Amino acid sequence: MTQKFDCFIIFAEMRTGSNFLESNLDQFDDLKCYGETFNPYFMVSPELKDLFGVSVKARDEDPMLLVEKMKENTKGIPGFRFFHDHDPRVFNALIDDPHCAKVILTRNMLEAYVSRKIAWATDQWQLNNVDDAIKKKAMFVSAEFEKLFYRMKDFQLKIKNRLQVTGQTAFYIDYEDAQNLDVINGLAKFLGAKGEITEFAGKFKKQNPEPMSEKVENYEVLKQTVAKVDPFDLDRVPNFAQSRPAAVSSYIASDKPPMLFMPIKGGPTDEVVNWLQAAGPLTEDLNQKTLRAWKNQNKQHRTFTVLRHPVVRLHSVFCRYFVTHGPDTYWDIKEAVRDRYDIDLPENEPDASWTLDRHRAAFLQFIAFVDRNLKGQTSLRLDPAWVSQNAVVSGFAGFALPDHLLREETLDTGLATLWGEVSNKKPPKWKDKAQDQPYGLGEVYSPEIEAEIRKIYQRDYMMFGFKPWDKS
């Protein structure tokens, strides 16, 4: 099979996550990215004097010479990052070339601008260790932002137009998409790589995951400026977890009565399944085709999911997947978080040495890990067991939204009401969830735990109106 591309170009801008993207593409044996090769002020890095025998001066005289040297001397497919102010001769030479793959990395321009201002203020342009982060608010300059906004927008439109008129397809990837391993592997396949990676390079971490209002000194000026430019959603709580695709295979259907349960991992799934099973046989391992058939056959069906308080959910996940041993234990992740993130987890089944104080301290360490993981600051995967419930419910819309969002704390009455919509028989008796092992949440809970979890799941608390657990 003939190789489709002989090089690639990543169209990006400062503070769009291009370093992070490059570090992950460089993990593939047959891909190699050479940074900002055509930055007018340096080549790849300020310290580098030549690349493949081509000096900065020689590059400036004939930039395409360096492109050809890359192709000749790279094992695999070479590429580089290209910003709107890089050498326009390279742009004009490669934008129309169908053998040069185009990757277009984008980010909310307001986020990119504020990130740039903070980097200038702190002189911290990349972050390898979250503990080394320097925090400082940005000063928003209206004229500066507007000028940059329209310049970058014009460049994106120029790329789009040139690709359209030459009949080319680019691979578009957003800042938050780049935090998804499946997307990175998909991009590599698009470029021509043969293998896959199983974790992020871990070299670069998100530097400023806070809400916009906490990152800008003169936030009101920012709001007034962007109101004239574009309807940015400024007051959103950052949500770095991607919207979860509808996991239809996890749905559980009951014919009598016609009810479809759409579980949220980390919720009371076992208890709900047992309740449904008491009424009759269940259909599992659905796909979109079989689910459509079920819906057509059960015209009066109802679909539902169950929300669980974030504190209850995360503690349950901690106990089930990391502390006690069983078929659900996340062995690989457990080993990784013990070794690389210093979480004090029991190596074997917890014994007398696993005291309540030790359990509580380890849970707080686990909460801190989940926070970093959801912000894209770890090399480990985002797991559905701790992705925000808001993201999961939003993902349901990829196929169909549930008719009812039930709450675990009132699940007995919620299920009984739902049952009454589809059946005139008496519903099965509801059995509450068993206490977490080896310690129940009532023993472990503290205001500190609530506060730390609330920071992570601000959007869940806001969207679903959760109170502090001890007041629920």
Side-chain angles (χ1 to χ4, degrees):
M1 179 176 166
T2 305
Q3 185 173 294
K4 185 177 179 182
F5 302 119
D6 57 17
C7 66
F8 64 92
I9 182 170
I10 300 174
F11 290 113
E13 297 294 343
M14 291 175 63
R15 318 307 292 171
T16 56
S18 61
N19 277 311
F20 178 76
L21 179 60
E22 177 177 340
S23 69
N24 288 304
L25 290 179
D26 278 344
Q27 292 191 86
F28 294 87
D29 292 338
D30 36 10
L31 299 176
K32 175 58 182 175
C33 194
Y34 292 99
E36 294 179 46
T37 312
F38 297 99
N39 187 306
Y41 308 108
F42 58 83
M43 183 168 63
V44 184
S45 70
E47 297 77 25
L48 190 68
K49 301 304 179 186
D50 70 85
L51 182 63
F52 302 123
V54 179
S55 67
V56 175
K57 183 179 179 180
R59 177 206 68 173
D60 291 344
E61 290 175 354
D62 183 4
M64 294 311 295
L65 171 64
L66 185 52
V67 173
E68 293 307 315
K69 290 287 186 181
M70 280 185 195
K71 294 178 185 178
E72 293 170 8
N73 294 279
T74 301
K75 181 184 177 182
I77 305 170
F80 54 89
R81 294 181 280 136
F82 193 93
F83 299 173
H84 77 273
D85 57 352
H86 288 188
D87 195 327
R89 296 171 296 175
V90 178
F91 177 89
N92 289 323
L94 294 180
I95 190 66
D96 297 336
D97 182 359
H99 298 294
C100 176
K102 281 69 176 189
V103 180
I104 300 176
L105 175 63
T106 59
R107 185 184 186 185
N108 179 310
M109 293 186 197
L110 184 63
E111 290 277 2
Y113 171 79
V114 170
S115 178
R116 182 188 299 200
K117 295 293 287 186
I118 293 174
W120 278 114
T122 60
D123 198 28
Q124 187 174 58
W125 292 88
Q126 61 189 46
L127 184 63
N128 304 111
N129 187 330
V130 177
D131 295 331
D132 296 333
I134 302 171
K135 294 299 179 183
K136 193 169 183 179
K137 288 189 175 184
M139 183 60 67
F140 187 84
V141 181
S142 299
E144 183 182 65
F145 170 72
E146 289 187 52
K147 182 178 179 180
L148 183 64
F149 175 86
Y150 289 112
R151 182 187 300 158
M152 291 166 64
K153 187 173 181 180
D154 287 344
F155 185 60
Q156 290 176 0
L157 291 173
K158 181 180 179 180
I159 295 169
K160 178 182 141 184
N161 177 258
R162 291 286 286 271
L163 293 177
Q164 286 176 329
V165 298
T166 54
Q168 296 182 75
T169 300
F171 192 103
Y172 283 83
I173 181 168
D174 183 73
Y175 177 82
E176 293 184 8
D177 294 335
Q179 320 297 319
N180 187 325
L181 267 179
D182 292 335
V183 174
I184 298 296
N185 283 319
L187 169 56
K189 289 176 185 175
F190 170 80
L191 294 175
K194 294 181 176 62
E196 291 188 346
I197 59 174
T198 57
E199 65 178 24
F200 293 119
K203 186 177 179 182
F204 299 104
K205 306 292 188 296
K206 275 194 179 82
Q207 289 180 246
N208 306 294
E210 298 83 6
M212 187 66 72
S213 58
E214 295 179 15
K215 294 189 287 191
V216 177
E217 195 74 46
N218 52 340
Y219 185 59
E220 288 303 315
V221 174
L222 180 151
K223 292 205 293 185
Q224 292 166 13
T225 302
V226 299
K228 301 183 298 181
V229 177
D230 208 16
F232 290 97
D233 184 12
L234 300 177
D235 293 319
R236 72 179 178 92
V237 175
N239 180 23
F240 296 109
Q242 307 85 16
S243 293
R244 310 302 297 177
V248 175
S249 61
S250 70
Y251 297 175
I252 299 161
S254 167
D255 292 342
K256 296 180 180 179
M259 300 172 70
L260 178 73
F261 175 41
M262 305 163 77
I264 296 176
K265 195 168 184 180
T269 300
D270 293 343
E271 293 80 5
V272 174
V273 170
N274 291 338
W275 182 83
L276 284 170
Q277 213 158 29
L282 304 179
T283 302
E284 302 183 52
D285 297 320
L286 294 160
N287 56 44
Q288 291 196 10
K289 182 178 179 180
T290 56
L291 182 51
R292 287 191 186 96
W294 180 87
K295 284 176 172 284
N296 285 327
Q297 291 165 10
N298 296 276
K299 302 296 184 183
Q300 303 301 316
H301 63 77
R302 293 292 185 274
T303 61
F304 70 98
T305 191
V306 179
L307 300 174
R308 170 174 272 181
H309 193 286
V311 175
V312 180
R313 181 175 178 237
L314 201 57
H315 185 256
S316 177
V317 165
F318 175 67
C319 293
R320 181 170 185 168
Y321 299 113
F322 293 92
V323 178
T324 58
H325 289 184
D328 297 325
T329 305
Y330 285 176
W331 295 107
D332 291 343
I333 302 180
K334 178 176 179 177
E335 190 66 24
V337 297
R338 287 179 74 241
D339 292 346
R340 288 152 55 186
Y341 298 96
D342 299 321
I343 299 180
D344 179 26
L345 293 171
E347 186 173 354
N348 301 306
E349 190 75 21
D351 54 22
S353 66
W354 188 253
T355 63
L356 176 58
D357 286 343
R358 188 177 169 193
H359 180 96
R360 184 183 291 113
F363 184 41
L364 281 164
Q365 292 171 335
F366 178 70
I367 293 168
F369 159 75
V370 169
D371 184 27
R372 290 185 177 187
N373 182 255
L374 290 175
K375 290 174 179 174
Q377 295 177 330
T378 74
S379 60
L380 299 175
R381 73 170 190 255
L382 249 67
D383 192 88
W386 55 78
V387 166
S388 78
Q389 294 176 84
N390 179 75
V392 176
V393 172
S394 297
F396 288 153
F399 184 76
L401 285 168
D403 299 301
H404 296 268
L405 295 177
L406 305 181
R407 311 278 175 148
E408 182 180 21
E409 58 270 21
T410 56
L411 203 46
D412 53 347
T413 56
L415 287 173
T417 300
L418 179 57
W419 178 281
E421 294 182 15
V422 292
S423 175
N424 54 14
K425 295 182 179 179
K426 186 177 179 180
K429 188 175 180 181
W430 171 253
K431 294 182 180 179
D432 287 322
K433 166 185 176 291
Q435 177 175 286
D436 292 331
Q437 296 296 326
Y439 298 104
L441 181 58
E443 302 172 89
V444 177
Y445 179 83
S446 70
E448 180 187 5
I449 286 172
E450 178 85 48
E452 293 302 314
I453 292 178
R454 190 182 188 99
K455 287 179 185 177
I456 301 173
Y457 297 110
Q458 291 179 61
R459 195 168 182 84
D460 280 359
Y461 276 84
M462 176 186 69
M463 296 300 291
F464 302 124
F466 289 116
K467 300 176 181 178
W469 179 73
D470 63 341
K471 295 182 174 62
S472 298

